[in-house]
Amino acid sequence: MTAFASDAALSLPADALEQLRTALGSGGLLTEASDMAPFVTDWRNLFHGRACAVARPATAEACAETLRICAEHKIAVVPQGGNTSMVGGATPDESGRALVLVTSRMNRVRAIDPIDQTMTIEAGVTLKAAQDAAKEAGLLLPLSISSEGSAEIGGVLATNAGGNNTVRYGNARELVLGLEVALPDGRKLDLMRRLRKDNTGYALRQIFIGSEGTLGLITAAILQLQPAPRSIEAALCAVESPAAALRLFAAFRSREPSAIQAFEFMSGVSMGLVNTLIPDAKLPLAEPAAAYVLVELASPREGGALRELMEEALGDALENGLVTDAVLAESEAQRGALWKLREEHAEAQKRAGASVKNDVSVPLSAIPEFIERASAACEALIPGVRVAPFGHIGDGNIHFNLVQPEGADGAAFLARDHDIMDAVAGIVRELGGSFSAEHGVGQLKTYMMPEWRGGAELDVMRRIKTAIDPQGLMNPGKVLPAL
């Protein structure tokens, strides 16, 4: 037998290595450190791990066989889609004992049914490609997140992604009718049923949605689509405070709640970073503001009713002082430019330096109090910190992000991440919220689980994990804290 290709592969038994190469085919198994490098570091550059190999199955069958081989040889598996996790959920640890299983080659849209309005799709299809396929069929896949160009369906479902349109359509789990899952022992769990009603025992698909790859690997799904909107109106509004933004949301909701497709909040600090650091993302308002709202209305009906609704609502808001300035998109290009201002916040903060991200949710009515109290707490903790919250104010999810003070040492700032996260989380908890609204727990926030989800709740999670993955091989170190 020839020598192994790399030191990483030395941790794989010879027979396992040969079995994996046979199961995955040409180009399906990477063992050179240089080839594996893109798959062992997260998007935020916070976590740097090592892997014994990177598996790239092209089919669900190859994926299941890979898991069977890993189970036989007790090799841990870290599932990875587009590698866009904000919490290190798809990054291996530094031991080099885990295999990273990448889904990007399982990238077929298997079918679209225009009558059922469903899409059958494999895990490696990017969310943007899935949206485009639905659009070509005259339908809408309403999931929309900033990383949709690289995030893959399997990861989107494994983290129960939310995003910009949650206020109208719900999180990912509300859109899933069926799942195909490769279990830790290599068996395929076929839950691919295109049914809105099916009360035949436990809803097993919901266990895997949001499990972050700790129970199995999603290989395909059936998604519920929606009629494509024929009329869309978008506006960027300047407001004086989060309280004004929330009152503006209430004003739109009281007029026509079903028309609201997105309602996004952006702080003045965060918008300032976008304007400064992102080319071609410039504020189309006369003056900077303390905060901003991007509101989008959509309807499957054609005509000018939405425009009239938008103009009337904003006219009243300007008259009563809820809005200090506003611009309405006059074309699809202008709408895209407004959305660019919202979608580039994470990238702008990354370019501004080290940042600590708090993906939290609180009841809608508590949002202004939360932002005020959390801002004061963080400014007292780290003088000069740039408080840059933004997010989905319409569903109570705020990305309460802190960017290092200008000129500060990034590493020293990140060393305070638990202090910052705990200060924010304490306020969130007092207000009845959650420390993770849509990004998940990953490896970044496992330390919070005992305090927030301890007792019977955490015990039930552990029992489910043990029942489905008795060897503890699936995405170890994620979601559940070590005992």
Side-chain angles (χ1 to χ4, degrees):
M1 180 121 181
T2 57
F4 293 141
S6 72
D7 291 340
L10 288 173
S11 61
L12 279 173
D15 52 346
L17 185 63
E18 200 62 38
Q19 290 175 44
L20 287 168
R21 284 177 171 155
T22 299
L24 294 165
S26 177
L29 188 70
L30 308 179
T31 56
E32 292 288 348
S34 57
D35 294 333
M36 295 190 291
F39 305 101
V40 296
T41 300
D42 70 312
W43 180 82
R44 294 178 62 190
N45 203 31
L46 290 181
F47 299 97
H48 305 271
R50 296 175 63 238
C52 61
V54 173
R56 302 172 62 243
T59 65
E61 291 72 24
C63 180
E65 178 63 7
T66 298
L67 292 187
R68 187 199 65 76
I69 295 167
C70 289
E72 177 185 339
H73 296 278
K74 296 181 173 54
I75 301 167
V77 177
V78 177
Q80 187 177 107
N83 199 17
T84 60
S85 175
M86 294 287 190
V87 291
T91 306
D93 64 19
E94 297 177 351
S95 70
R97 292 192 294 267
L99 174 143
V100 177
L101 197 160
V102 179
T103 60
S104 57
R105 295 175 74 198
M106 297 188 290
N107 56 9
R108 292 185 302 137
V109 176
R110 295 180 184 174
I112 294 178
D113 190 313
I115 303 300
D116 287 344
Q117 295 189 338
T118 59
M119 168 185 285
T120 304
I121 190 169
E122 294 182 344
V125 179
T126 66
L127 179 53
K128 181 63 167 61
Q131 293 169 346
D132 290 344
K135 186 175 182 180
E136 289 177 9
L139 296 166
L140 171 72
L141 176 58
L143 275 173
S144 178
I145 58 179
S146 296
S147 60
E148 59 198 28
S150 51
E152 296 174 6
I153 292 297
V156 166
L157 301 185
T159 55
N160 187 30
N164 304 328
N165 296 341
T166 300
V167 65
R168 180 164 179 173
Y169 299 103
N171 282 6
R173 70 170 69 252
E174 275 93 356
L175 303 176
V176 179
L177 295 178
L179 277 188
E180 178 185 271
V181 180
L183 294 173
D185 61 6
R187 289 181 297 166
K188 184 173 77 170
L189 183 62
D190 188 349
L191 307 172
M192 298 285 275
R193 296 187 280 271
R194 292 183 296 163
L195 302 173
R196 295 296 299 274
K197 292 183 176 181
D198 180 16
N199 286 340
T200 52
Y202 306 133
L204 294 181
R205 70 182 185 277
Q206 298 296 355
I207 294 177
F208 296 95
I209 300 171
S211 69
E212 301 186 45
T214 60
L215 301 178
L217 194 140
I218 295 170
T219 56
I222 299 174
L223 304 180
Q224 181 70 67
L225 304 179
Q226 299 291 329
R230 292 184 174 87
S231 179
I232 300 178
E233 297 291 342
L236 180 69
C237 311
V239 296
E240 293 183 346
S241 66
L246 190 59
R247 290 197 298 273
L248 182 63
F249 176 68
F252 272 96
R253 189 169 57 178
S254 67
R255 286 176 177 268
E256 183 53 71
S258 64
I260 302 172
Q261 180 157 279
F263 200 93
E264 297 290 295
F265 170 82
M266 295 155 283
S267 67
V269 170
S270 192
M271 181 69 86
L273 294 176
V274 172
N275 286 330
T276 302
L277 300 175
I278 303 297
D280 302 322
K282 300 303 178 184
L283 187 68
L285 299 174
E287 298 290 339
Y292 303 86
V293 165
L294 177 57
V295 56
E296 183 167 275
L297 309 179
S299 172
R301 297 181 180 180
E302 293 182 306
L306 276 189
R307 183 71 172 196
E308 182 179 348
L309 173 62
M310 180 76 84
E311 291 175 344
E312 288 180 355
L314 290 182
D316 288 348
L318 286 163
E319 186 174 338
N320 61 33
L322 278 185
V323 170
T324 58
D325 197 3
V327 59
L328 278 69
E330 299 292 346
S331 65
E332 184 61 25
Q334 289 183 11
R335 173 174 167 258
L338 295 185
W339 271 107
K340 184 178 179 67
L341 290 170
R342 162 60 185 87
E343 292 168 347
E344 295 288 356
H345 280 249
E347 179 62 29
Q349 291 177 14
K350 183 178 181 180
R351 297 182 184 185
S355 64
V356 174
K357 299 183 183 299
N358 297 275
D359 164 50
V360 302
S361 59
V362 296
L364 291 186
S365 59
I367 289 173
E369 179 184 353
F370 161 67
I371 293 178
E372 180 180 358
R373 290 177 58 188
S375 297
C378 292
E379 289 165 351
L381 189 65
I382 302 181
V385 69
R386 288 173 282 181
V387 183
F390 67 96
H392 321 299
I393 195 171
D395 59 46
N397 176 199
I398 298 296
H399 301 304
F400 192 82
N401 296 351
L402 293 306
V403 181
Q404 68 177 70
E406 291 191 62
D409 178 73
F413 177 72
L414 288 178
R416 303 286 307 276
D417 63 345
H418 279 206
D419 295 336
I420 296 170
M421 290 162 61
D422 290 344
V424 173
I427 297 167
V428 170
R429 192 166 190 179
E430 290 177 9
L431 296 174
S434 171
F435 69 86
S436 180
E438 64 177 3
H439 290 167
V441 178
Q443 58 183 300
L444 179 65
K445 300 181 180 181
T446 53
Y447 80 95
M448 293 184 171
M449 289 292 281
E451 183 178 355
W452 283 73
R453 299 290 180 255
E457 188 172 1
L458 187 54
D459 181 59
V460 170
M461 292 185 197
R462 291 191 190 279
R463 287 171 181 264
I464 293 172
K465 168 73 170 173
T466 300
I468 299 175
D469 181 22
Q471 297 192 86
L473 297 177
M474 293 301 300
N475 217 6
K478 316 298 168 45
V479 182
L480 301 178
L483 289 171

